[in-house]
Amino acid sequence: MKIALLGAGHIGQTIARLLHATGDYQVTVIDKNAKYLAVLAAEGIATAEVDTAHHGALAAQLRGKDAVVNALPYHLAITAATLARECGCHYFDLTEDVAATKAIKELAQGSKTAFMPQCGLAPGFIGIVAHHLAKQFDEVRDVQMRVGALPAFPTNKLKYNLTWSVDGLINEYCHPCEAIHGGEFISALPLEGLEHFSLDGVEYEAFNTSGGLGTLCETWSGKVKNLDYKTVRYPGHRDLMKFLLEDLGLAADQEKLKDIMRKSMPATMQDVVLVFVTVSGMKNGTLLQEVFARKIFAERDAKSPLSAIQITTAAGICAAVDLFREGKLPQQGFIRQEEVQLPEFLANRFGKAYQQSRQVESIG
């Protein structure tokens, strides 16, 4: 299968190595950063130095490929998906942006190729888990999804280090959040809905952020009482982000905030990804709750270390592409994450990254 992989950054390089190593994919990594591409080229992975904002040059690279795997920033998702359709390619991405996903869904209408956005961790794997648990109930009452990509050793006041895209981070902190409350669709404010919980003796907080639900609100509309998604952080993070975004007015100048964070907040490869899903409802006349909880840790191999967010995000999209190639997903039109069967995902060679991680608790 010929793959055009857009983006040679933190996550893109991991995706390229995973797909290339199987021998089942002919991967060409496309980016404008020659330095990043050179690293992959030295490993025998095909590359093409192209300005991804130049539509003509990018389209020339996509023609003849079977699929586009997009690991570029979220604001380029619609452009990439549009070119994929024009070039007759299947399309997969990692976007958490709600508006981009809606636009891609429209592009997929009547298409002979497949469009599957939101293939990462959240949205992505978290939706697959929630749907799997919920469909086991006769009547679903509450679905709660909590995900955090956290530094293993927080030292600053925000108790946070950069573990993934700053663009995506700020985007999810600033846009309305879809949810179902009392059986009705609602649009909740980001950074609200603060709650606290503990797991394995560690204290956490969770609050509303945008995009993590994917298409679950639409899928479960009229069939669930309450459904929501919240991002997990260490206690105190939410209040400081509200101060920056609201009190200092940086929500209106997001580029300045991103610049500040990139210059003052170090990245880390020593992180942990927390996945926590609870579903309650009626089953065989009894009110029950099912829980899925995992912690995925960074791999500290000296030769090729991987952060937990690299592992989980790359595994999500690679598993989606792999299941598609095997004919286990629809072959055209818009594909929702919840169309992926959780057992098939966890049995997949890439999805096993979630299966083989240390398990906190898994029920159901």
Side-chain angles (χ1 to χ4, degrees):
M1 189 174 185
K2 297 180 180 178
I3 301 291
L5 173 56
L6 307 183
H10 193 59
I11 303 298
Q13 291 202 10
T14 306
I15 296 169
R17 293 185 178 107
L18 287 174
L19 293 177
H20 175 74
T22 66
D24 293 324
Y25 298 94
Q26 298 176 44
V27 181
T28 301
V29 185
I30 302 167
D31 202 300
K32 63 182 179 180
N33 191 310
K35 180 180 178 181
Y36 290 166
L37 292 175
V39 173
L40 294 171
E43 299 175 22
I45 300 173
T47 63
E49 185 179 346
V50 175
D51 184 351
T52 50
H54 191 292
H55 294 188
L58 184 55
Q61 289 294 328
L62 301 190
R63 293 190 184 97
K65 302 297 193 297
D66 297 308
V68 172
V69 175
N70 179 15
L72 294 170
Y74 74 90
H75 59 268
L76 295 173
I78 297 174
T79 296
T82 301
L83 288 177
R85 172 156 181 162
E86 291 176 3
C87 297
C89 303
H90 303 295
Y91 176 82
F92 302 82
D93 77 21
L94 299 166
T95 188
E96 76 289 338
D97 188 69
V98 175
T101 301
K102 290 180 179 178
I104 292 168
K105 186 178 180 181
E106 292 180 4
L107 279 171
Q109 292 181 8
S111 174
K112 295 181 180 179
T113 55
F115 289 78
M116 190 175 185
Q118 305 183 313
C119 295
L121 168 62
F125 180 72
I126 191 70
I128 297 169
V129 172
H131 184 71
H132 172 77
L133 294 184
K135 68 183 182 181
Q136 298 176 31
F137 287 81
D138 302 319
E139 175 190 335
V140 183
R141 293 195 179 180
D142 300 295
V143 179
Q144 296 181 331
M145 289 161 279
R146 308 292 183 258
V147 172
L150 302 162
F153 308 106
T155 58
N156 54 40
K157 291 293 184 180
L158 274 174
K159 299 179 183 177
Y160 191 75
N161 291 87
L162 298 181
T163 61
W164 64 294
S165 164
V166 180
D167 291 314
L169 178 72
I170 301 305
N171 182 60
E172 72 171 20
Y173 282 176
C174 292
H175 287 81
C177 313
E178 295 181 338
I180 294 175
H181 180 72
E184 300 293 331
F185 174 86
I186 65 168
S187 181
L189 291 173
L191 303 181
E192 297 299 330
L194 182 65
E195 63 187 35
H196 293 85
F197 68 97
S198 62
L199 186 66
D200 282 354
V202 179
E203 295 294 323
Y204 300 99
E205 67 180 24
F207 48 86
N208 299 336
T209 55
S210 175
L213 283 177
T215 55
L216 278 178
C217 277
E218 184 177 342
T219 298
W220 283 91
S221 177
K223 295 179 285 188
V224 63
K225 184 177 180 181
N226 300 301
L227 183 151
D228 64 25
Y229 168 85
K230 296 183 181 182
T231 286
V232 177
R233 296 286 184 257
Y234 295 116
H237 177 90
R238 193 287 303 251
D239 288 347
L240 287 175
M241 287 307 306
K242 281 179 70 70
F243 171 74
L244 292 169
L245 290 165
E246 298 177 10
D247 293 358
L248 295 187
L250 291 175
D253 192 353
Q254 295 178 26
E255 292 307 314
K256 179 180 288 186
L257 178 57
K258 292 173 189 177
D259 185 57
I260 291 171
M261 294 184 75
R262 289 188 182 104
K263 289 179 177 178
S264 61
M265 187 172 294
T268 183
M269 295 290 286
Q270 296 171 285
D271 63 340
V272 57
V273 165
L274 172 64
V275 177
F276 192 75
V277 181
T278 64
V279 179
S280 63
M282 301 300 295
K283 185 185 296 186
N284 299 322
T286 302
L287 180 62
L288 295 174
Q289 176 177 275
E290 301 283 356
V291 177
F292 182 104
R294 298 276 169 91
K295 280 185 178 179
I296 299 93
F297 295 89
E299 293 181 1
R300 301 300 297 160
D301 182 272
K303 184 178 180 181
S304 54
L306 289 172
S307 66
I309 194 64
Q310 278 181 296
I311 294 167
T312 52
T313 305
I317 196 165
C318 287
V321 173
D322 218 29
L323 291 170
F324 176 82
R325 185 185 64 87
E326 294 171 351
K328 295 178 180 178
L329 291 172
Q331 297 297 293
Q332 65 183 59
F334 186 78
I335 306 174
R336 304 169 189 266
Q337 291 301 312
E338 48 268 35
E339 294 181 68
V340 177
Q341 300 300 313
L342 180 62
E344 291 183 348
F345 182 97
L346 294 176
N348 180 267
R349 54 185 166 181
F350 301 117
K352 285 180 178 178
Y354 286 91
Q355 184 79 302
Q356 295 172 350
S357 62
R358 195 183 101 190
Q359 180 175 319
V360 180
E361 182 179 7
S362 179
I363 304 174

